[in-house]
Amino acid sequence: MIKLRRSAFLKSAALAVCTAGLLVACGGGSDGGGGADDNVWSVGTEPAFPPFESVGEDGELEGFDIDLMTAIGERAGKTVEFDSLPFDGLIPALQGASIDAAISGMTITEERQATVDFSDPYFKAGLAIAVAEGNTEIATLDDLEGQRIAVQIGTTGAETANGVPDATVSTFDSAPLALQELANGNVDAVVNDAPATLDAIATGNIPGITVVGELLTEEFYGIAMPQGSENVEAVNTALAELIEDGTYAEIYRKWFDAEPPEL
Ligand code: ARG
């Protein structure tokens, strides 16, 4: 069911080759998004954000978001085709309608709501500060003043870090890269979604770091769609059904080994 689509970049590269006439036969295929195929939802995601979305050892996408979106598609009678995109490219892709939706641990924010529509919330999260193990100087947002902070570009973590007075903020294409910068000792802290940072620590993917203090924010993830998308209702109906019939809880337990909180 899950098929990792070529990235939009590879696709345009392939198209360019086709137009150049270097290949005799070029596949037609769905152009993904824009409703070329009514039974397919092209869904963008930035798959370096476990346990929500990542590329498994078998090369297939996996994670809470992947399972949830696939189940939503099934419930709505659609085949979901995932499209790997940079996180900060998801909203532009929705605006250009080159994808039908994006699921990527994306927080519902007022700013984003000005350009895209969101489904009902499907996950409760929040930002947390990570520091090197043994760093006792940093526990709160105020403590980050004047410090070096690494973040993932285009995220709520980046926005929060950018508001810290006198901080030096370095941005990375993915959250693991920002966390690795911290593990390497090149920055003092990372501001990132708590569940993703905790997963990186728990799995041993990023050694030598720890989460400190309280959550900085309460954030809710939503599935983003182009503004005015006709699919918002179908997505919300399917999501509500999955919550109601226990499928959502099953997926939640699989990835978080815990009962889901009230949304
Ligand atoms: N929740 C944060 C935001 O919306 C970070 C999401 C990052 N997601 C990802 N797949 N890299 O900005």
Side-chain angles (χ1 to χ4, degrees):
M1 280 314 271
I2 306 171
K3 195 168 127 230
L4 178 56
R5 285 177 23 134
R6 287 169 294 174
S7 73
F9 169 76
L10 285 179
K11 178 162 284 184
S12 33
L15 275 176
V17 170
C18 291
T19 356
L22 295 175
L23 291 174
V24 183
C26 289
S30 123
D31 76 356
D37 181 342
D38 284 346
N39 291 314
V40 173
W41 277 344
S42 169
V43 179
T45 191
E46 189 278 303
F49 205 62
F52 297 97
E53 43 265 333
S54 59
V55 180
E57 276 167 24
D58 56 2
E60 297 283 322
L61 289 181
E62 61 176 32
F64 177 83
D65 284 355
I66 304 303
D67 285 352
L68 182 65
M69 192 67 224
T70 303
I72 288 173
E74 261 164 31
R75 203 51 74 100
K78 306 282 176 180
T79 303
V80 171
E81 287 185 0
F82 289 100
D83 199 351
S84 298
L85 293 169
F87 187 73
D88 63 346
L90 290 170
I91 288 187
L94 290 166
Q95 287 180 294
S98 62
I99 50 175
D100 297 302
I103 190 161
S104 208
M106 190 184 285
T107 303
I108 302 170
T109 67
E110 255 179 56
E111 197 187 337
R112 289 173 180 158
Q113 276 173 321
T115 52
V116 296
D117 285 352
F118 280 97
S119 70
D120 293 332
Y122 72 85
F123 192 90
K124 185 174 155 184
L127 295 175
I129 300 171
V131 299
E133 263 171 6
N135 179 338
T136 53
E137 319 245 287
I138 297 171
T140 67
L141 195 59
D142 286 345
D143 298 337
L144 290 180
E145 190 169 334
Q147 305 279 337
R148 299 166 302 168
I149 312 171
V151 295
Q152 182 185 8
I153 192 165
T155 59
T156 49
E159 200 176 308
T160 299
N162 285 328
V164 175
D166 301 323
T168 308
V169 179
S170 33
T171 49
F172 293 84
D173 286 342
S174 78
L177 288 175
L179 292 167
Q180 190 57 52
E181 189 75 350
L182 174 62
N184 292 348
N186 296 331
V187 292
D188 305 299
V190 163
V191 179
N192 184 40
D193 297 39
T197 299
L198 290 171
D199 184 81
I201 294 170
T203 54
N205 284 347
I206 311 281
I209 67 163
T210 185
V211 163
V212 288
E214 315 261 302
L215 291 187
L216 306 178
T217 54
E218 180 176 85
E219 305 189 2
F220 291 91
Y221 295 166
I223 297 162
M225 286 162 274
Q227 223 162 34
S229 166
E230 56 182 15
N231 297 320
V232 176
E233 209 182 302
V235 167
N236 282 337
T237 304
L239 175 62
E241 279 177 28
L242 297 173
I243 291 172
E244 183 64 34
D245 74 8
T247 310
Y248 174 91
E250 210 175 286
I251 297 172
Y252 193 97
R253 277 186 224 111
K254 172 179 168 190
W255 293 101
F256 297 99
D257 203 17
E259 289 306 309
E262 281 291 314
L263 282 170

